[in-house]
Amino acid sequence: MVADDNGTGLELEMPTKEQLSEWYAEVGITPDGMRRDINHLKNWMSRQPHLPHITDDVVYERFLFGCKNSLEGAKLKLEQYYTARATMPEYFANRDPLDEELREALKTVCYVVLPRLTSKGYRIIICKMFNHDITKFKPNLLFKGALMLSDMTRHKCQSNGVVIIFDLYGRTMAHVASVTFPMLRNVVHCIMSAFPEHMKGFHIVNASGYTNTLITLGKSLLKDKLRNRIHTHSKGVATLAEHISKDVLPAEYGGTYEHNMVKLRDFTYELLVRQRDWYLKEQSVKADLTKKVEGKKEERNIFGIEGSFRAIRID
């Protein structure tokens, strides 16, 4: 378990060995296959002059699982992940959880991790605003904190997928306007293209009239598979229980979990703080694009990455 050292007794639920075996079997991962593929990825990474030489097997294991046991998918994600770390310093540099500006920003609005996994092994994250003062809203730091949390939960406490609840209560046009297109583009790229997460659902609660219009427009531009994973709850939070068990959700969202969102926000921040040494060490692990060598066209597959091709399955 990843426990909270501040005496609250909170901890993140971890999957059992039986659960992990079941999840891995669902995507065709076997122990022998995992060892073989980790070695393959290590060798591949060592031949890429611009990519860091990662020796931690857990990194490769998580990328393989997140990419549904696709070697080429894992290579693509590893390439994009470490490139993003090099090209988006606003999210991947200066990742000190004790930074006062970051701490204050995450008190205002935060991606809060819920301790319990769902019956399917999904990790629930709630994006909630705790202070509506626009002068305290720092979207770049909000996104940085969210990506820091994603990195930590993936590496330290695995799940079978992520479900995000976006609570739009208190959001105004001023808040929306403060999120620039480059900010949004980069964070969406990280979540959808560079991070090996299984995004299992998006739930939107407390949306106003104009945000409902924007959500409807946005959904119309998405593919059916992703569009069907976005749920808007227009009559309060009660309908969340149709998708997420009440024992996972705090009372503010119609659940029975014993701790409220303020305590869960503080717990989430403590999780970041307790991994401070890890963040400070790994923030320098990124691509060196000055060393990137473009392969010959005939040596590259459709993703622009060399290596053996195994069919990619889409989650």
Side-chain angles (χ1 to χ4, degrees), residues 56-308:
D56 185 355
D57 287 359
V58 173
V59 173
Y60 298 110
E61 180 179 336
R62 298 294 191 265
F63 272 80
L64 280 166
F65 177 67
C67 294
K68 297 290 187 179
N69 196 28
S70 164
L71 275 174
E72 297 308 314
K75 290 177 185 178
L76 179 64
K77 291 279 188 180
L78 286 162
E79 169 87 33
Q80 293 183 333
Y81 176 74
Y82 288 108
T83 297
R85 292 178 69 90
T87 57
M88 301 180 192
E90 67 272 27
Y91 299 143
F92 295 102
N94 303 316
R95 285 180 136 196
D96 186 350
L98 293 182
D99 176 80
E100 184 63 20
E101 190 177 18
L102 176 61
R103 186 180 73 86
E104 288 302 316
L106 296 183
K107 279 186 177 181
T108 301
V109 57
C110 184
Y111 281 83
V112 175
V113 61
L114 302 190
R116 289 180 180 163
L117 295 170
T118 71
S119 60
K120 294 183 178 180
Y122 301 160
R123 186 79 65 194
I124 309 299
I125 308 291
I126 301 178
C127 181
K128 176 178 172 58
M129 183 171 288
F130 294 87
N131 186 327
H132 303 153
D133 184 349
I134 185 62
T135 65
K136 296 182 179 297
F137 181 54
K138 310 293 183 183
N140 250 3
L141 294 177
L142 165 65
F143 294 146
K144 175 186 276 193
L147 297 178
M148 287 173 66
L149 180 65
S150 180
D151 275 337
M152 187 274 289
T153 53
R154 178 178 65 254
H155 193 78
K156 304 291 185 179
C157 39
Q158 191 174 6
S159 70
N160 194 29
V162 176
V163 175
I164 301 180
I165 299 171
F166 294 98
D167 185 349
L168 301 187
Y169 179 77
R171 305 290 175 97
T172 66
M173 282 300 295
H175 290 99
V176 174
S178 67
V179 180
T180 67
F181 177 73
M183 282 185 209
L184 191 60
R185 177 196 60 208
N186 286 350
V187 78
V188 168
H189 170 77
C190 287
I191 294 171
M192 303 305 296
S193 300
F195 278 46
E197 315 294 0
H198 295 176
M199 302 306 298
K200 295 296 186 178
F202 303 88
H203 296 267
I204 301 166
V205 299
N206 294 320
S208 61
Y210 75 86
T211 52
N212 271 322
T213 301
L214 292 175
I215 292 164
T216 300
L217 176 61
K219 288 174 68 174
S220 70
L221 303 175
L222 301 173
K223 294 181 179 179
D224 288 345
K225 193 163 190 175
L226 184 56
R227 181 167 61 244
N228 292 337
R229 294 184 183 181
I230 300 175
H231 307 275
T232 303
H233 302 265
S234 58
K235 298 181 180 180
V237 298
T239 50
L240 277 174
E242 297 173 8
H243 305 269
I244 303 168
S245 176
K246 286 188 175 183
D247 69 318
V248 175
L249 295 167
E252 294 97 320
Y253 296 93
T256 59
Y257 186 71
E258 57 266 37
H259 296 296
N260 64 26
M261 284 296 291
V262 171
K263 194 166 189 177
L264 291 170
R265 176 201 62 185
D266 295 343
F267 168 61
T268 299
Y269 177 70
E270 287 298 322
L271 288 174
L272 301 182
V273 171
R274 287 177 37 241
Q275 298 298 328
R276 181 174 184 256
D277 290 346
W278 179 73
Y279 284 122
L280 296 180
K281 180 180 178 180
E282 61 88 35
Q283 69 182 2
S284 64
V285 182
K286 57 188 177 181
D288 182 350
L289 299 182
T290 66
K291 297 180 180 179
K292 185 174 176 64
V293 178
E294 296 295 338
K296 295 179 181 178
K297 186 175 182 180
E298 63 272 18
E299 294 175 343
R300 301 170 72 84
N301 62 39
I302 59 173
F303 297 108
I305 294 177
E306 300 173 18
S308 62

